[in-house]
């Protein structure tokens, strides 16, 4: 599903897209309905190394994106101009040009990666077009009013090797209120689910497959699912969830989602209290306000732009070479009131004002008041950058939450054009003085080509498209 979302985004921008994997004919048929123009290749697991070895010679690949836990995919070819790799914490991690961990809290776990560039966190969750269309519809029409018993969708994967679907449906019999259950039934559990349907106190509708899972989820009051990729699609839709952790690679994601209040935690299928947790869902379903809060949190955290961000990163990394670390000799220090005159002159310089959000000239008294407030504000860092003791610019950082810091830089007019913008930015990054992983953010007007190129060369990747005023946002994750 993640790869399909990226393929849709890339194809929509005019890329030639090829999807390859261990896909049976049923899977290929499904993919063709969603992305009819993409080339599909079936590659058996044992054939992956040989297939990767000849990929570039056969197709001339610009970007190779890998999403696999299999060790067969660890040795990647040198031919593609850019290798992009999706991982879930340590699962699927491998050497790449761009490493992506699209999970809640992924930016905090990525403390060591073998990659030149990193994208991490729930902002880069790739969401399929089918989900985005349903999200827009729900936002336009609102959540459908409930008529009749609460509706619950149980979907624990097409194969569900742990047999969790049968366990969950049996456990829901303990819910005293009537429920309408739609159960996506894996082939090996069909008979067991039908037997439960014949004796259950609830109405149970077993289905083999849902062509439009997002649409089906949107028609239910609660979805019981495994803590995998589908969690983010459901959160983007704003559908309340109850989650099972059915595999080790889901543990960190499960804990983060439940802790954030995006889902009700049901634990593991083998836990002794699973039936009690399932029975408690009846009380939850009787209080729609709690479910509404859950769906609002999900929509707020997963904005649906993850695929846009990843494909935009591919395009930028192909187009703009990133600058390496530079030893410029510039150093940063905290600003003081003694810097007031220089900062005032730089701020009111006509060239600087053209690139600023606020283009009006600042009065001296207003400037002094602003500087005093700035120096006393812990959420703001104002740094003067010097070369051999002489100020050559200023870097300001503003906190945008727990881990985000937005940058603004000004090069002193007397050294403008000397190629100091990038070294000045690097010096400001080094002197930020914030421990742990942080996301460095820059807001640039689309007409300011020089500033946009500066941040792109510094490794800041697209975070938000241009707003109504023409300002786009770029970010670099520092792990």
């Amino acid at each position: 599903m993640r790869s399909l979302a990226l393929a849709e985004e890339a194809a929509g921008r005019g890329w030639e897209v090829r999807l390859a994997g261990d896909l049976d004919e049923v899977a290929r048929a499904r993919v063709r309905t969603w992305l009819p123009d993409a080339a599909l290749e079936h590659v058996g697991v044992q054939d992956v190394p040989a297939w990767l070895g000849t990929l570039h010679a056969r197709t001339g690949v610009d970007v190779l994106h890998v999403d696999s836990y299999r060790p067969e995919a660890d040795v990647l070819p040198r031919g593609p101009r850019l290798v992009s790799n999706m991982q879930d914490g340590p699962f699927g991690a491998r050497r790449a040009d761009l490493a992506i961990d699209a999970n809640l809290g992924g930016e905090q776990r990525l403390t060591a990666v073998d990659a030149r560039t990193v994208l991490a966190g729930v902002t880069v969750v790739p969401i399929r077009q089918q989900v985005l269309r349903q999200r827009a519809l729900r936002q336009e029409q609102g959540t459908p009013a409930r008529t009749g018993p609460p509706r619950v969708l149980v979907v624990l994967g097409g194969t569900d090797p742990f047999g969790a679907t049968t366990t969950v449906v049996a456990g829901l019999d303990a819910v005293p209120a009537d429920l309408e259950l739609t159960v996506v039934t894996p082939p090996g559990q069909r008979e067991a689910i039908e037997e439960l349907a014949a004796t259950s106190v609830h109405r149970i509708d077993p289905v083999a497959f849902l062509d439009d899972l997002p649409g089906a989820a949107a028609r239910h009051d609660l979805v019981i699912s495994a803590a995998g990729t589908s969690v983010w699609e459901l959160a983007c839709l704003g559908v309340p969830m109850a989650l099972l952790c059915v595999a080790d690679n889901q543990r960190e994601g499960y804990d983060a989602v439940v802790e954030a209040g995006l889902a009700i935690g049901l634990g593991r299928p083998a836990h002794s209290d699973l039936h009690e947790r399932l029975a408690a869902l009846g009380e939850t379903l009787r209080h729609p306000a709690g479910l509404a809060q859950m769906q609002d949190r999900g929509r707020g955290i997963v904005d649906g732009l993850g695929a846009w961000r990843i494909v935009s990163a591919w395009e930028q990394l192909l187009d703009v070479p990133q600058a390496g670390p530079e030893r410029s000799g510039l150093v940063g220090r905290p600003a003081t009131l003694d810097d007031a005159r220089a900062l005032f002159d730089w701020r009111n310089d006509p060239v600087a004002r053209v690139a600023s959000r606020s283009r009006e000239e600042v009065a001296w008294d207003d400037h002094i008041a602003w500087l005093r407030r700035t120096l006393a504000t812990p959420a703001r860092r104002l740094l003067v950058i010097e070369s051999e003791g002489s100020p050559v610019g200023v870097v300001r950082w503003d906190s945008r939450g727990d881990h985000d810091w937005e940058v603004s830089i000004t090069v002193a007019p007397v050294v403008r054009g000397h190629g100091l913008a990038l070294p000045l930015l690097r010096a400001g990054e080094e002197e930020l003085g914030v421990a742990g992983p942080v996301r460095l953010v820059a807001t640039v007007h689309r007409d300011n080509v020089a500033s946009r190129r500066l941040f792109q060369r510094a490794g800041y990747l697209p975070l938000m498209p241009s707003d109504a005023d023409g300002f786009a946002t770029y970010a670099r994750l520092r792990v």
Side-chain angles (χ1 to χ4, degrees), residues 127-396:
I127 301 296
R128 294 177 296 136
Q129 294 297 318
Q130 190 180 34
V131 179
L132 296 179
R133 287 191 293 269
Q134 192 62 235
R135 173 187 169 101
L137 189 64
R138 280 174 69 85
Q139 289 177 325
E140 178 184 337
Q141 299 179 350
T143 304
R146 179 191 297 174
T147 57
R151 297 155 295 189
V152 178
L153 173 62
V154 180
V155 52
L156 293 164
T159 55
D160 185 15
F162 303 99
T165 303
T166 301
T167 302
V168 166
V169 174
L172 287 172
D173 246 11
V175 175
D178 290 341
L179 301 177
E180 291 186 1
L181 304 180
T182 303
V183 182
V184 179
T185 308
Q189 300 179 59
R190 181 81 185 184
E191 184 176 341
I193 297 296
E194 289 177 346
E195 289 178 1
L196 289 170
T199 60
S200 176
V201 297
H202 308 306
R203 175 185 167 187
I204 299 178
D205 180 19
V207 296
F209 187 86
L210 290 171
D211 279 308
D212 183 10
L213 179 59
R219 294 190 294 271
H220 287 75
D221 301 296
L222 181 73
V223 176
I224 299 177
S225 179
T229 303
S230 60
V231 166
W232 305 119
E233 294 193 341
L234 295 171
C236 185
L237 279 173
V239 175
M241 296 173 278
L243 298 182
L244 276 170
C245 182
V246 300
D248 289 339
N249 65 286
Q250 296 178 357
R251 167 55 62 183
E252 286 186 343
Y254 170 88
D255 290 340
V257 170
V258 173
E259 184 178 345
L262 297 179
I264 300 163
L266 298 176
R268 288 180 173 267
H271 283 179
S272 58
D273 64 346
L274 176 58
H275 278 59
E276 287 78 6
R277 296 192 187 200
L278 288 168
L281 292 179
E283 184 67 19
T284 302
L285 289 164
R286 283 195 292 270
H287 295 84
L291 296 177
Q293 290 178 350
M294 195 184 304
Q295 68 185 28
D296 289 343
R297 286 192 204 103
R299 276 196 294 250
I301 288 177
V302 184
D303 64 6
L305 289 174
W308 177 87
R309 294 183 176 107
I310 292 173
V311 177
S312 296
W314 294 347
E315 293 179 339
Q316 179 177 306
L317 292 170
L318 290 173
D319 182 54
V320 182
Q322 289 192 72
E326 298 184 13
R327 300 275 181 187
S328 64
L330 300 188
V331 295
R333 61 166 176 81
T336 70
L337 284 175
D338 292 337
D339 298 305
R341 172 54 63 179
L343 298 177
F344 177 75
D345 292 341
W346 296 349
R347 168 62 182 82
N348 281 335
D349 179 75
V351 175
R353 284 191 284 117
V354 166
S356 174
R357 277 188 180 272
S358 176
R359 301 184 178 184
E360 299 298 322
E361 192 167 335
V362 177
W364 172 255
D365 289 345
D366 293 338
H367 171 70
I368 290 295
W370 169 85
L371 183 56
R372 291 183 186 277
R373 290 194 306 272
T374 292
L375 298 180
T377 302
R380 174 170 284 181
R381 310 286 170 89
L382 190 64
L383 305 170
V384 173
I385 310 302
E386 296 182 335
S387 173
E388 299 179 348
S390 297
V392 294
V394 64
V395 176
R396 190 183 79 220

Side-chain angles (χ1 to χ4, degrees), residues 67-111:
D67 194 340
S68 173
Y69 295 164
R70 303 286 306 197
E72 290 85 357
D74 286 351
V75 182
L76 300 175
R78 294 184 177 273
R81 296 170 58 197
L82 178 74
V83 174
S84 169
N85 185 69
M86 184 74 74
Q87 62 188 76
D88 294 311
F91 296 92
R94 55 181 56 86
R95 186 175 185 178
D97 298 302
L98 175 64
I100 307 164
D101 186 340
N103 287 288
L104 186 64
E107 61 270 52
Q108 301 304 307
R109 295 195 301 270
L110 273 173
T111 54

